[in-house]
């Protein structure tokens, strides 16, 4: 598996449902609906949100209210860390004006995905990152780097680890405070997690890593297990697994926050999250989407949510 | 996580969809339909089946054709290992007559579940196991022990590890060749896997362990990761995740064979299984059930099943 490591005791979970989730859902929520979901998540202890994307409202109408969402959360709660995706200078200006704590700048590790995603070559995206970084100077707003297709590209297949480490070094040079490895279409595997985490720690030793897994092929939490074994203490997930995979109809997107929190809690790790509260928030998300979501623990209940003997059939003879 | 272990290289996966899966599905298949699913699985390299249960046809009409299924598979294929669940002496006699390779005898580690399942106290079930064992003498048919609710009971909650080790010792004394730990309602967690595997190896060092996880709370494959880290090389799973959880409507049952095989293959472990074949078999299972099943890799395709750039929307600006 990996060299033995002491498990991190405190795990940071960033909720990305309002951004990565909603961006890939067919249903468009009103600002008030988004806030109702955010409130349910805050009631469950969520404090770190990737809350929206300052992307062109024409490209992603679901997130056209980015500034309103940030302003409303700022007005009603303190102690949150609100980050937002920013694809270009215009988006960065809007994000700064809205009052986010950090901006997430992303580059794909594969040319085809970057072209498909933002119509640019990777080197052009990196130049864009540099431009935006200059805007941040003196604002106190942190730069978080994100690398899409870090574990594989749906168009190109395997992605060389060097493509990932090179982008990571750019982010480190530009003063990023965090780096998130995006498993955009669920191509991460435990050996790839080990390889990429190990190499990134060599390439950018001062940049804390966040792992952002999708459950597209069912092994999202197996990859979290590998990340934990390597000592990685930051993960991103989406309540109810909100957000499908645009490349595979019916397939899962993000790992579900409540399932992740259940795993971490059962492993004795501190997340600051409340499972029952997250199950409630997953219910809110499912109601808003009008469909059953893909998280599991929300359907079965917490581990010790006991059944009454008289609610199940007798003498099935199963095992 | 656990003390470092060399990963086992060869993993044995027993397919339980035809038994544990079908026993918990509302749709009743004909014998010919079951055989079509078995054939799809054999085409994918499956050789070890828990193929049916010789339970009372009145209690479980879906498995009333137990003898026919065994006879048909025996007639058309060699090189299979066919095991069958057997709840009592009558079932054992039928199983022996049908020509199984091994019988699976099960006892719950919790009194409430055992009572609910077979209307007996645990000690009575153990006496039944002894009776059946005598029937097997000289037949060449192997005894496999299975312990239901090994990681928790839906009625009682936590199950003391001693309840599990005590039953294991009984099975060992009776000459069992294998012991399967059933995670009946998905209450296993990585720390419990470590505790139970470690203690069972002390209590019954000569009894090879099989882990039978359910994905009820989404962490089935995380538990497999823990099992692998401990060097456990035998797992049970069900194609498409067939078989729900009778205690939690809508919740998953068994881990899906194709997702398990995908994880193991990506970890470089040898299973003898062919992923594309398993995805095909999951399709057969879904067609037979008339509903989408819960496995994931069957929806997204294998890791390097690439998308064409022109099938997805452009410039979403996501990451």
């Amino acid at each position: 598996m990996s060299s033995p490591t002491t498990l991190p005791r405190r795990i940071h979970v960033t909720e990305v449902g309002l951004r990565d989730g909603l961006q890939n859902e067919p249903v468009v929520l009103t600002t008030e609906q988004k806030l109702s979901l955010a409130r349910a998540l805050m009631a469950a202890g969520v404090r770190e949100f990737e809350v929206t994307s300052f992307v062109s409202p024409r490209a992603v109408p679901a997130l056209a209210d980015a500034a309103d969402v940030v302003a409303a959360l700022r007005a009603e709660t303190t102690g949150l860390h609100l980050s937002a995706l920013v694809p270009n200078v215009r988006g960065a200006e809007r994000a700064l004006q809205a009052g986010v704590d950090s901006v997430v700048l992303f580059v794909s590790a594969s040319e085809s995905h970057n072209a498909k995603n933002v119509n640019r070559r990777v080197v052009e995206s990196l130049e864009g990152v540099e431009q935006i970084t200059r805007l941040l100077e003196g604002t106190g707003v942190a730069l978080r780097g994100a690398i899409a297709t870090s574990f594989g590209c749906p168009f190109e297949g395997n992605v060389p680890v060097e493509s990932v480490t090179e982008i990571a070094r750019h982010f480190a040079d530009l003063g990023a405070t965090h780096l998130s490895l995006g498993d955009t279409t669920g191509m991460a595997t435990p050996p790839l997690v080990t390889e990429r985490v190990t190499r990134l720690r060599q390439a950018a030793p001062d940049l804390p890593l966040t792992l952002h897994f999708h459950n597209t092929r069912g092994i999202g939490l197996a990859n979290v297990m590998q990340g934990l074994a390597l000592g990685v203490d930051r993960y991103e997930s989406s309540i109810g697994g909100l957000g499908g995979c645009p490349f595979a109809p019916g397939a899962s997107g993000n790992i579900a926050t409540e399932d992740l929190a259940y795993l971490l809690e059962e492993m004795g790790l501190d997340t600051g999250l409340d499972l029952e509260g997250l199950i409630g928030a997953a219910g809110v998300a499912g109601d808003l989407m009008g469909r059953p979501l893909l998280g599991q623990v929300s359907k079965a209940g917490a581990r010790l949510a006991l059944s009454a003997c008289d609610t199940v059939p007798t003498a099935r003879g199963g095992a």
Side-chain angles (χ1 to χ4, degrees), chain A:
Chain A
M1 201 131 297
S2 63
S3 56
T5 314
T6 306
L7 284 184
R9 304 315 307 176
R10 172 74 167 106
I11 307 293
H12 300 268
V13 176
T14 299
E15 171 61 40
V16 302
L18 292 165
R19 198 285 299 172
D20 194 1
L22 296 184
Q23 183 162 351
N24 290 304
E25 290 283 348
V27 175
V28 174
L29 300 187
T30 66
T31 306
E32 191 45 49
Q33 287 174 317
K34 292 177 190 175
L35 294 174
S36 70
L37 179 54
R39 285 183 199 115
L41 288 160
M42 291 188 286
V46 175
R47 292 293 173 269
E48 301 188 31
F49 287 92
E50 190 177 284
V51 73
T52 189
S53 175
F54 287 89
V55 67
S56 154
R58 264 179 309 132
V60 187
L63 302 183
D65 61 356
D68 298 335
V69 171
V70 172
L73 288 176
R74 278 281 170 257
E76 69 183 55
T77 319
T78 57
L80 301 180
H81 187 102
L82 300 180
S83 66
L85 231 74
V86 155
N88 51 34
V89 168
R90 176 76 195 104
E93 290 167 346
R94 288 170 61 211
L96 289 174
Q97 198 163 15
V100 300
D101 298 302
S102 58
V103 297
V104 180
L105 306 187
F106 59 92
V107 178
S108 296
S110 71
E111 290 291 349
S112 315
H113 186 268
N114 208 61
K116 195 71 198 163
N117 203 30
V118 293
N119 282 327
R120 288 186 213 163
R121 288 184 300 135
V122 168
V123 66
E124 293 170 315
S125 281
L126 289 171
E127 286 162 14
V129 165
E130 214 171 319
Q131 266 188 295
I132 293 170
T133 308
R134 286 194 291 270
L135 278 187
L136 299 183
E137 277 167 22
T139 62
V141 172
L143 164 64
R144 294 187 171 197
I147 306 180
T149 64
S150 285
F151 300 94
C153 167
F155 310 119
E156 296 179 17
N158 289 319
V159 167
V161 66
E162 292 75 17
S163 304
V164 183
T165 52
E166 200 175 318
I167 297 169
R169 266 191 292 260
H170 266 87
F171 277 124
D173 290 346
L174 293 169
T177 60
H178 293 81
L179 179 67
S180 170
L181 300 183
D183 179 24
T184 310
T185 58
M187 295 174 74
T189 65
L192 285 172
V193 173
T194 301
E195 179 208 47
R196 270 137 225 247
V197 167
T198 307
R199 291 287 298 274
L200 282 162
R201 283 175 172 166
Q202 293 161 356
D206 298 325
L207 206 47
L209 292 178
T210 299
L211 296 174
H212 175 127
F213 293 126
H214 283 211
N215 198 37
T216 320
R217 290 173 173 86
I219 67 170
L221 294 183
N223 288 323
V224 169
M225 288 291 285
Q226 193 70 8
L228 292 172
L230 294 160
V232 177
D233 63 353
R234 295 180 175 274
Y235 297 87
E236 294 176 351
S237 59
S238 149
I239 190 73
L242 271 182
C245 171
F247 306 101
S252 295
N254 294 282
I255 55 172
T257 303
E258 66 276 22
D259 291 359
L260 172 64
Y262 171 67
L263 174 64
L264 297 173
E265 179 179 319
E266 290 295 336
M267 292 182 74
L269 306 175
D270 176 24
T271 60
L273 300 173
D274 170 61
L275 183 63
E276 290 298 344
L278 291 175
I279 290 175
V284 171
D287 289 346
L288 290 172
M289 291 299 124
R291 66 171 176 90
L293 300 182
L294 289 167
Q296 288 298 322
V297 75
S298 58
K299 287 155 194 144
R303 185 170 170 275
L304 295 178
L306 302 187
S307 302
C309 265
D310 55 6
T311 61
V312 292
T314 308
R316 303 272 299 168

